[in-house]
Amino acid sequence: MDIEHLSAQCRAALQQQDLKGAHYWALSLIQQSPNKPIGYFYIAQIPMQAQQFHKAIPILQKALSLCKPDEALVGSIVARLMQCFGITGQAKDALALFKQSVFLPHSNNTAQLECLDLEKIAVTLTRFEWHALALPIFERSVKTPTFLNLTSEQQANLYCNVAASCAYQGTISDAIKYYRKALSCEPRLGKAHAALSRLNPTGEQKRVAQLQTFLEPQLISPLGEQDNDALYCANALFHELEKQQDYAQAGNVLHKANAMYQEVLESSNKAFSLQAHCKYIEVIRELARVITESTSLIIDNDASKPSELFIVGLPRSGSTLLDSKLTQHQQIVSLGERDDIERLISPILKSQKAIDKEYFDQPSPELVRRLQSILVNYQDLTSARLEGLELCAHAQHSLTEENKRITYTIDKMHLNIWYTPLILALFPKAKIIAVKKNDRDLAWGNYKYLFNPQDSRFFYSYDLQNIQSYIDCYHQQVEWLKAHFPQRIIEVEYEQFVANTEAELTNVYAFLGLKNRINSAKKSTSTAIYSAPIYSTASAQQVREGISEKYVGQWQRYKWLFSDIKGFRQ
């Protein structure tokens, strides 16, 4: 059987998700042509379909090593390898592959790639917040001839990715244009509706009627777990009604959709559990104790490396606004919302089926070694992310020697709050800024914003009482940190920050041991590296609007939703 026929059989098996059949045909390809990449390329897609991306990486690397420079398959191999690096958080390897390949924004060779391969490369770049590199590749992907061969759903999703990349770069008009293109392909695509309603400052009455038509059948019966379009459309309708100041109807739409999805989570035993969350916090604190009591743990005190600065606070607390102002200082760089800490600690927790007292009282050398690896790997990732930002700056012609002098790198992943005991134990120079906001404003911000409905980290956000419990856990964690690490944490109140920004910044700089020196170039230009950061978070639009008190007290428009919720602090 020739290679072309074996390849067709392998592709058919993969499309049918027949992994056993795909494995047979891929092995047949390798046996027939062991020095060609195609068999390895197909066999790597088997673990990828099983979400085991780390297993696919060495197979794809083998396939790439067998490629000739003009190999037709090289682009698809690189795209999938980049995808695996992105999903597994390997910034250093992703950047190295990107730099040595032909996929730089100025290269015309990317025109020979299929649009979905280009999309995989660009999505990986956005995972590490290298948006200046990603946007040209995204834009090129929708101009390739193969784009026309995609289904309408694939075209719409690709347009959404281009739109999101434009929004990250601050080109809101282009983002709106691409979201409208996505809706022209798939008129009921919920995520496009929700993003368009958030980005477009003016309401559209015709969209209200359209969204109501889309939602009517879904909101009559309980939402299914996969009915994300209904959730997104409900969120879009909420935003459109709020623009018209019809707060009663807006609140009703949002509350009904959230309540239905909460029922879905409860019926599938996936709802937020306060008890499980508190247990998780205790486990992290115990791991931190293991580190502080270990005599074999080697802590890196290299003064030449930038110190770690973690901005923590629940979603919608104002951490992005604080980050945007701190990075106007010439010695501070923001690396965005990094999921590195959570991703590095998760395998340690998952490897221990039952984490008990003995696990911590008698920690094994292997546990100590793995905890040490978190520090090393995180610092390597920091270097790679900084190198990626420098590459972005070269693409934007904005790199200067002054930009390279760094004292602090910011990680503003809000969920790091639960890992802060471990962070402070591992990183001797690290400091924490905890953002505090009025409880009800914070709760409302979490309740009205639709995070990824499939992300279990946000399952608390569909029920106001759960949100209150989550906020209370946050307060308790901050108090614990202030008691155990009083010199390494400072609390910033959002309301005070927007009312008296310069004074609050001066206090933070003093806490960091920095002089209050603002880089005028960083303050005035949107393209300077490490300044005016490109934000991919829910608060990005608010940050671009600048300091404003209009987001204080918004919960009061929806007081009736809070009437039965107990425990909020004043």
Side-chain angles (χ1 to χ4, degrees):
M1 196 175 293
D2 60 25
I3 291 178
E4 186 175 339
H5 184 71
L6 288 172
S7 299
Q9 293 287 352
C10 198
R11 284 195 300 272
L14 286 169
Q15 288 172 357
Q16 296 167 12
Q17 297 187 338
D18 176 12
L19 300 188
K20 184 179 290 187
H23 188 264
Y24 171 81
W25 295 112
L27 281 180
S28 298
L29 275 167
I30 293 173
Q31 290 169 359
Q32 182 163 322
S33 304
N35 295 321
K36 292 190 175 181
I38 190 164
Y40 295 98
F41 170 71
Y42 283 125
I43 209 165
Q45 293 181 60
I46 296 171
M48 290 182 70
Q49 283 202 4
Q51 304 296 305
Q52 297 176 328
F53 296 95
H54 62 287
K55 292 184 178 180
I57 289 173
I59 306 173
L60 287 167
Q61 288 173 326
K62 173 69 174 178
L64 189 60
S65 70
L66 295 174
C67 283
K68 297 177 181 178
D70 58 347
E71 186 84 43
L73 202 59
V74 66
S76 295
I77 294 173
V78 169
R80 282 158 181 79
L81 192 51
M82 285 284 287
Q83 181 184 20
C84 290
F85 285 149
I87 291 172
T88 56
Q90 299 183 47
K92 184 176 181 180
D93 292 320
L95 185 64
L97 179 60
F98 180 78
K99 289 172 67 176
Q100 73 185 29
S101 66
V102 298
F103 306 114
L104 293 172
H106 59 265
S107 171
N108 291 324
N109 292 334
T110 50
Q112 301 170 11
L113 285 172
E114 292 189 3
C115 58
L116 293 182
D117 288 336
L118 289 168
E119 181 188 30
K120 289 181 178 69
I121 295 166
V123 166
T124 296
L125 296 172
T126 62
R127 284 180 180 272
F128 302 114
E129 308 214 14
W130 300 329
H131 301 293
L133 302 177
L135 181 56
I137 298 176
F138 269 131
E139 290 180 324
R140 195 170 295 175
S141 69
V142 297
K143 298 175 183 177
T144 59
T146 53
F147 178 77
L148 299 176
N149 299 331
L150 300 183
T151 66
S152 61
E153 182 179 1
Q154 289 176 316
Q155 289 179 344
N157 284 322
L158 189 44
Y159 276 135
C160 281
N161 278 334
V162 182
S165 189
C166 290
Y168 299 159
Q169 287 288 101
T171 54
I172 304 303
S173 60
D174 287 341
I176 291 173
K177 176 185 70 175
Y178 279 113
Y179 278 125
R180 293 194 189 280
K181 286 187 175 184
L183 291 173
S184 69
C185 299
E186 287 288 320
R188 293 175 181 264
L189 186 60
K191 63 182 179 181
H193 278 296
L196 190 58
S197 292
R198 286 198 306 270
L199 290 175
N200 193 351
T202 58
E204 298 180 47
Q205 184 59 45
K206 64 178 181 180
R207 274 177 50 76
V208 171
Q210 182 186 40
L211 289 166
Q212 286 173 332
T213 302
F214 290 163
L215 281 169
E216 191 170 325
Q218 283 99 333
L219 288 184
I220 290 174
S221 58
L223 296 171
E225 193 172 352
Q226 299 300 321
D227 286 337
N228 293 342
D229 278 340
L231 274 174
Y232 281 118
C233 284
N235 194 264
L237 180 56
F238 159 76
H239 283 290
E240 293 298 333
L241 291 168
E242 193 174 50
K243 291 172 192 174
Q244 297 180 6
Q245 299 183 4
D246 188 349
Y247 301 125
Q249 190 177 354
N252 277 323
V253 168
L254 182 70
H255 185 58
K256 189 172 183 179
N258 280 357
M260 285 185 173
Y261 198 64
Q262 178 65 20
E263 287 180 13
V264 170
L265 295 175
E266 290 173 357
S267 64
S268 57
N269 295 318
K270 294 182 178 181
F272 170 75
S273 166
L274 179 61
Q275 182 179 5
H277 185 64
C278 291
K279 173 64 177 176
Y280 192 75
I281 294 171
E282 286 301 318
V283 167
I284 298 300
R285 291 179 184 176
E286 284 296 308
L287 285 175
R289 182 178 63 81
V290 168
I291 293 171
T292 55
E293 295 178 358
S294 173
T295 57
S296 60
L297 194 66
I298 302 173
I299 299 297
D300 185 2
N301 284 298
D302 187 350
S304 65
K305 295 179 180 178
S307 299
E308 298 82 10
L309 177 59
F310 294 86
I311 300 179
V312 298
L314 298 191
R316 319 299 291 148
S317 62
S319 58
T320 303
L321 179 63
L322 175 61
D323 179 270
S324 72
K325 295 303 174 184
L326 285 176
T327 52
Q328 291 177 1
H329 196 287
Q330 61 188 21
Q331 293 174 264
I332 300 177
V333 175
S334 176
L335 298 180
E337 290 197 356
R338 301 174 57 176
D339 63 354
D340 298 326
I341 291 291
E342 181 179 26
R343 186 176 44 76
L344 291 170
I345 189 62
S346 290
I348 297 176
L349 299 179
K350 289 178 181 177
S351 65
Q352 187 71 13
K353 293 181 180 178
I355 298 179
D356 51 28
K357 192 173 186 298
E358 184 179 349
Y359 181 63
F360 299 112
D361 289 346
Q362 298 177 344
S364 65
E366 174 64 12
L367 173 61
V368 175
R369 184 195 66 78
R370 295 184 74 179
L371 290 172
Q372 173 75 49
S373 71
I374 295 175
L375 172 67
V376 176
N377 290 334
Y378 185 88
Q379 291 179 333
D380 284 347
L381 288 166
T382 296
S383 299
R385 286 175 180 269
L386 285 170
E387 187 180 351
L389 284 183
E390 287 193 15
L391 196 59
C392 289
H394 282 299
Q396 296 175 311
H397 310 293
S398 59
L399 184 64
T400 67
E401 288 303 314
E402 184 182 60
N403 295 141
K404 295 183 179 181
R405 294 195 290 270
I406 307 166
T407 302
Y408 285 98
T409 58
I410 294 177
D411 181 342
K412 64 170 292 291
M413 170 57 77
H414 47 81
L415 295 177
N416 280 334
I417 179 61
W418 313 123
Y419 302 101
T420 43
L422 189 62
I423 288 168
L424 292 175
L426 273 173
F427 300 91
K429 300 187 297 179
K431 292 190 175 182
I432 306 291
I433 302 177
V435 185
K436 181 180 179 181
K437 194 175 189 180
N438 174 276
D439 276 8
R440 289 178 176 82
D441 267 335
L442 183 56
W444 176 243
N446 279 259
Y447 192 63
K448 76 174 183 177
Y449 187 85
L450 181 57
F451 302 99
N452 181 354
Q454 300 303 314
D455 192 335
S456 61
R457 298 175 301 175
F458 301 107
F459 284 173
Y460 71 89
S461 65
Y462 299 95
D463 179 84
L464 279 169
Q465 192 65 65
N466 283 344
I467 294 175
Q468 186 280 320
S469 299
Y470 199 73
I471 291 173
D472 197 48
C473 283
Y474 172 78
H475 288 312
Q476 293 175 24
Q477 182 81 329
V478 171
E479 292 305 314
W480 187 93
L481 291 169
K482 287 160 70 175
H484 288 79
F485 301 94
Q487 303 304 314
R488 299 176 66 187
I489 180 172
I490 186 174
E491 203 167 11
V492 174
E493 292 191 16
Y494 173 80
E495 292 79 10
Q496 290 293 324
F497 187 78
V498 296
N500 199 355
T501 304
E502 294 305 318
E504 292 294 313
L505 280 174
T506 299
N507 289 338
V508 174
Y509 291 143
F511 165 71
L512 298 176
L514 298 175
K515 293 181 180 179
N516 193 3
R517 292 189 299 169
I518 302 298
N519 184 336
S520 58
K522 291 178 75 175
K523 188 172 183 178
S524 62
T525 178
S526 61
T527 58
I529 187 172
Y530 310 145
S531 65
I534 304 301
Y535 293 109
S536 54
T537 66
S539 306
Q541 184 67 9
Q542 292 180 17
V543 168
R544 295 188 188 102
E545 294 174 5
I547 297 291
S548 173
E549 295 187 45
K550 73 177 185 179
Y551 297 105
V552 176
Q554 285 195 350
W555 73 273
Q556 296 185 52
R557 299 169 179 169
Y558 306 92
K559 283 184 178 180
W560 57 275
L561 288 173
F562 290 81
S563 59
D564 296 327
I565 310 300
K566 307 298 180 184
F568 285 119
R569 302 185 186 189
Q570 295 299 321

